[in-house]
Amino acid sequence: MNSKNIGQVKISEDVISIIASLAATEVEGVAQMSGSITGNIGEILGKKNHSKGVKVQVAEDKAEIDVFVHVEYGSVIPDIAKKIQDNVKTTVETMTGLEVTLVNVYIQGVTTKHEKNIETK
């Protein structure tokens, strides 16, 4: 009997989505995550959706992640996309031990500073 193997650890795709979403929003120039209609309705009702704007697929010990964001006007989109990919990959791999094989970044819109100020009030 192997004393080191006492069971399995399974990480929910929802948990990985939350980690990826938070990692993406850490990147300067990301205005907000882009969510689905149901996610937006939940926010209107007062429920924070930390996995908003992220789709995760896990097979074996590998993850593929799609990130949907709005960027701030004036940002250099290719630079922001690369920083998002790097930060999401590093953060998810460090926190979960999974290998992130793919991080697709989808720019869904551009937000001006005026629009961002209105949303935060």
Side-chain angles (χ1 to χ4, degrees), residues 18-27 83-84 87-89 91-92:
I18 291 168
I19 294 167
S21 179
L22 293 172
T25 56
E26 290 176 346
V27 174
K83 288 176 184 175
I84 292 169
N87 201 39
V88 168
K89 178 177 174 52
T91 304
V92 170

Side-chain angles (χ1 to χ4, degrees), residues 27-101:
V27 174
E28 190 173 332
V30 173
Q32 65 185 24
M33 302 301 291
S34 180
S36 65
I37 295 289
T38 56
N40 290 338
I41 289 171
E43 284 189 1
I44 291 168
L45 298 174
K47 297 179 182 177
K48 273 271 192 217
N49 184 1
H50 293 290
S51 62
K52 174 180 171 179
V54 178
K55 180 182 169 196
V56 174
Q57 290 182 326
V58 178
E60 298 172 18
D61 288 336
K62 298 181 183 191
E64 293 183 359
I65 302 170
D66 293 332
V67 180
F68 301 86
V69 298
H70 288 252
V71 296
E72 294 174 358
Y73 176 77
S75 302
V76 180
I77 292 174
D79 292 348
I80 289 175
K82 177 69 173 134
K83 288 176 184 175
I84 292 169
Q85 289 173 319
D86 292 342
N87 201 39
V88 168
K89 178 177 174 52
T90 302
T91 304
V92 170
E93 287 181 343
T94 301
M95 290 185 72
T96 66
L98 294 171
E99 178 186 353
V100 176
T101 57

